[in-house]
């Protein structure tokens, strides 16, 4: 492909992707599937990798993020990020309205904008000439963290504005939120990996926005709603009109906003959203009332903490009191024990609540929750509500402190709790039934081996005694499946075929499917990429493993322990015999293109990490060396290589190549 063609294609793809983004986020009318969207994005990325000279800072590929560790710089806000005065009752809202009347004078007309109060983490976006140049968190209000790279991965934040008439320089403020669906999936994944769940979507959103790797963050699917425009030359004297303009430039602006002209109409808005909020796919914690006219806003001004022209009304968290009848314990696939409260059924936010999560032993003891207690339950973004408090006044006289279980409720093995970990574990991983079934369910799941076999089928196969571990799946016969209740010829055949097809699932997914503690899909990918084969992985020591980027001591120890168990060795041997993929395909395609080359890496690289480059050198038969010497044959220079190093390289007459040239050399 010529440079001209590449440039044109990059521009066309970028435009198409941004247009699809707009259709998805602003118009709510996607025209293509997520899969097709990802395909376009991948095409763009691959062209940009080949022709980095055409990679623009506003490319939609920035949405994918990078692997480089972000160190957040502190940036001073041009306009301080103030908070809002809070009220919890209508009286205080009337007082607010009276104060406005008094300051503006009786004869002054004014309108309010009523908006949702998004429960996430505040962000300030600076645009210059239509380009996103900075994204900052609130911090202490005066200065915050520069999270530009991370913000670019949020698809509802425009990197380049569309439309026209936007000010040359201005700020948009809003809230980064985590939708309920994303939050629930994330917490499930975290608990599966033995990690503590996030307490609520707000914490999850702010923790995610400050993640060090934007590529990891990008996968968390945060969203953003913008509700405030700031700058010297704004298009309208109306907050409402400015937000409409912002929408036309590509922002996802606050939805459901209403313009009203009396405090009674504000109350009506509050009443409506006090119940309707539970239908939203994300959390709001109240509503915000703002004077619409910017000139009146200016006239009213600010106190030292907050604007006089706006206030928030916070909803009381929807709570209900009920009796704690008993506590059950669930055993997850990793053996983690999760306590769940059984409650006297009670109505809460439109649903009947019978169960509440208690997460772990510390939560129970901090609450001092006892059987028979009256407890308060609250609903947030979680699927099941949580207990927030115990009503001590109503405690029955005979209530005794709750004693946490010491034996597994399923197999009676003594539970363990490692230092620094919140959960208790059942260590009987190979024989404890829910752990066996959980491991098989994980193994067959879509992100793992992608075998079409639901929870009920796993249970039926297990109960029939046909499978007691993941390797048994590959010994299943058509007759066995057919004999299960509910299976007919076609469905039995489909299952057997789906199992056979899983034999071509790539190594990284197989590794993830094994369900080793702390080895999620990202870690599995790293391991597969760096160690290439299961033999290497099984032999690797803790020291060798922690050399790999993103592999910490906890993961390394878990891997070494897993591979040292005979039972696991046997499973691997059986899966291998069944024909599963246990090596990274790249290992086979390695070349001798760099045979005889001794290569030194220096500087910062744009496309690959240092470790990846080292691996590419080795895969292609070259040697990597840490320092420049007479033996060095190639010097692979990234950005910002020190001048003294370059001088030495030149003196020794060593060829210098860029990352792109290197990749061309090995034909990547
Ligand atoms: S306006 C100077 N509008 O609530 C006024 N804030 O408790 C700037 N928030 O720091 C804020 N939804 O993080 C505004 N529709 C909305 C909002 C909103 C959520 C957050 C924001 C702010 C906090 C104040």
């Amino acid at each position: 492909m010529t440079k001209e063609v590449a440039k044109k294609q990059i521009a066309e793809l970028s435009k198409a992707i941004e247009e699809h983004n707009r259709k998805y986020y602003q118009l709510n009318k996607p025209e293509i599937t997520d899969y097709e969207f990802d395909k376009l994005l991948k095409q763009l990325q691959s062209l940009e990798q080949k022709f980095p000279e055409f990679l623009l800072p506003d490319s939609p590929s920035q949405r994918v993020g990078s692997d480089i560790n972000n160190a957040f710089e502190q940036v001073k806000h041009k306009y301080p990020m103030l908070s809002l005065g809070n009220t919890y009752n209508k009286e205080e809202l009337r007082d607010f309205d009276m104060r406005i009347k008094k300051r503006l004078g009786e004869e002054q007309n004014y309108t309010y904008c009523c908006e949702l109060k998004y429960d996430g983490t505040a962000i300030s976006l600076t645009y210059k000439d239509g380009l996103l140049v900075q994204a900052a968190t609130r911090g202490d209000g005066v200065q915050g963290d520069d999270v530009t790279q991370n913000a670019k991965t949020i698809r509802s934040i425009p990197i380049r504005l569309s439309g026209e008439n936007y000010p040359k320089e201005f700020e948009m403020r809003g809230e980064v939120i985590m939708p309920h669906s994303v939050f629930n999936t994330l917490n499930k994944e975290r608990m599966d990996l033995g990690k503590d769940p996030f307490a609520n979507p707000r914490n999850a959103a702010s923790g995610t926005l400050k993640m060090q790797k934007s590529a990891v963050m990008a996968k968390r699917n945060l969203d953003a709603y913008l509700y405030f425009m700031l700058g010297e030359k704004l298009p309208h004297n109306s907050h409402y009109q400015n937000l409409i303009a912002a929408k036309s430039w590509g922002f996802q602006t606050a939805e459901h906003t209403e313009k009203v002209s009396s405090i009674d109409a504000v109350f009506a808005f509050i009443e409506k959203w006090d119940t309707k909020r539970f239908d939203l796919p994300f959390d709001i914690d109240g509503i915000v009332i703002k004077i619409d006219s910017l000139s009146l806003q200016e006239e009213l001004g600010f106190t030292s903490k907050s604007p006089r022209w706006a206030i928030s009304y916070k909803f009381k968290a929807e709570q209900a009191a009920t009796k704690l009848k008993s506590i059950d314990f669930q055993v997850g696939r990793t053996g983690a024990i999760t306590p769940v409260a059984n409650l006297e059924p009670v109505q809460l936010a439109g649903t009947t609540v019978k169960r509440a999560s208690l997460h772990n032993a510390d939560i129970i003891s901090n609450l001092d929750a006892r059987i028979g207690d009256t407890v308060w339950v609250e609903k947030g973004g979680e699927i099941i509500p949580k207990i927030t408090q115990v009503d001590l006044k109503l405690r029955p006289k005979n209530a005794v402190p709750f004693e946490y279980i010491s034996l597994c409720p399923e197999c009676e093995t003594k539970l363990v709790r490692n230092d620094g970990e919140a959960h208790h574990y059942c260590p009987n991983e190979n024989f404890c039934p829910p752990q066996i079934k959980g491991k098989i369910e994980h193994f067959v799941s879509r992100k793992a081996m992608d075998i079409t076999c639901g929870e009920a089928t796993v249970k039926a196969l297990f109960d029939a005694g046909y499978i007691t571990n993941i390797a048994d799946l590959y010994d299943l016969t058509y007759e066995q499946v057919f004999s299960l209740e509910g299976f007919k010829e076609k469905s039995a055949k489909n299952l057997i075929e789906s199992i056979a097809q899983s034999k071509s699932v790539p190594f990284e997914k197989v590794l993830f499917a094994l369900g080793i503690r702390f080895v999620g899909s990202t870690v599995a990918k790293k391991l597969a990429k760096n160690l290439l084969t299961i033999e290497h992985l099984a032999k690797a020591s803790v020291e060798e493993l922690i050399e790999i980027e993103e592999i910490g001591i906890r993961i390394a120890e878990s891997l070494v322990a897993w591979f040292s168990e005979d039972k696991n060795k046997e499973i691997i041997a059986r899966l291998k015999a069944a024909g599963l993929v246990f090596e990274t395909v790249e290992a086979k395609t390695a070349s001798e293109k760099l045979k005889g080359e001794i290569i030194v890496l220096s500087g910062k690289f744009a496309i690959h990490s240092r470790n990846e480059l080292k691996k590419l050198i080795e895969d292609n038969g070259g040697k990597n060396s840490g320092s420049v010497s007479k033996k060095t044959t190639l010097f692979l220079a990234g950005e910002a290589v020190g001048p003294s190093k370059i001088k030495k390289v030149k003196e020794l007459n060593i060829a210098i190549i860029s990352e792109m040239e290197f990749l061309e050399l090995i034909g990547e």
Side-chain angles (χ1 to χ4, degrees), residues 261-487:
S261 45
S262 74
I263 196 73
D264 287 320
V266 171
F267 293 156
F269 185 85
I270 292 177
E271 236 133 72
K272 180 165 88 184
W273 283 102
D274 200 6
T275 47
K276 256 183 85 156
R277 65 186 158 126
F278 297 107
D279 301 332
L280 290 168
F282 48 77
D283 276 356
I284 62 170
D285 60 340
I287 68 146
V288 179
I289 302 123
K290 297 172 183 170
I291 286 279
D292 185 53
S293 153
L294 301 198
S295 41
L296 293 183
Q297 284 185 4
E298 203 176 328
E299 195 175 327
L300 290 161
F302 295 85
T303 69
S304 62
K305 280 190 284 185
S306 51
R308 286 201 192 90
W309 45 264
I311 198 159
S312 74
Y313 173 90
K314 294 253 226 162
F315 295 128
K316 277 183 216 74
E318 185 99 348
Q319 287 197 330
T322 186
K323 276 237 159 60
L324 172 59
K325 291 200 302 191
S326 61
I327 297 179
D328 280 347
F329 294 87
Q330 291 174 346
V331 187
R333 75 168 165 85
T334 54
I337 309 287
T338 312
V340 178
N342 290 314
L343 307 166
E344 199 74 64
V346 62
Q347 281 298 115
L348 177 65
T351 51
T352 309
V353 172
K354 292 185 211 134
R355 285 156 79 75
S357 54
L358 282 162
H359 295 308
N360 57 48
D362 289 346
I363 303 248
I364 300 179
S365 68
N366 290 343
L367 284 166
D368 184 22
R370 304 180 184 189
I371 307 299
D373 266 344
T374 297
V375 294
W376 285 92
V377 280
E378 189 178 306
K379 227 175 159 178
E382 302 85 357
I383 296 170
I384 58 172
K386 59 178 168 234
I387 295 181
T388 52
Q389 255 190 74
V390 171
D391 192 335
L392 293 176
K393 289 194 297 295
L394 296 178
R395 171 166 283 172
K397 287 217 169 56
N398 56 355
V400 288
F402 186 77
E403 233 179 88
Y404 206 76
I405 48 168
S406 58
L407 300 181
C408 174
E410 300 278 346
C411 69
E412 301 197 342
T413 304
K414 195 169 168 7
L415 299 181
V416 292
R417 186 183 188 184
N418 297 330
D419 277 354
E421 279 180 16
H423 282 102
H424 285 69
Y425 283 89
C426 165
N428 184 20
E429 53 174 325
N430 296 319
F431 299 100
C432 178
Q435 290 194 61
I436 299 173
K437 280 183 279 181
K439 280 194 178 74
I440 300 173
E441 280 161 21
H442 169 75
F443 184 81
V444 298
S445 66
R446 215 158 56 85
K447 269 169 82 184
M449 303 305 284
D450 198 15
I451 298 173
T452 30
C453 175
E455 217 177 298
T457 307
V458 171
K459 184 175 181 309
L461 290 166
F462 175 81
D463 290 347
Y466 296 150
I467 52 171
T468 55
N469 59 50
I470 52 178
D472 290 345
L473 281 167
Y474 295 91
D475 293 339
L476 271 180
T477 62
Y478 168 82
E479 287 71 27
Q480 285 174 325
V481 179
F482 185 69
S483 74
L484 296 179
E485 212 188 293
F487 272 87

Side-chain angles (χ1 to χ4, degrees), residues 80-86 115-123 138 173-175 227-228 254 285 287-288 290 302 306-307 309-310 312 314:
M81 279 179 90
L82 300 177
S83 70
L84 291 171
N86 282 334
E115 292 173 4
L116 304 184
K117 187 171 182 324
Y118 295 89
D119 198 9
T121 183
I123 195 154
R138 180 169 185 273
R173 293 201 176 154
E175 206 82 352
Y227 46 61
F228 190 31
D285 60 340
I287 68 146
V288 179
K290 297 172 183 170
F302 295 85
S306 51
W309 45 264
S312 74
K314 294 253 226 162

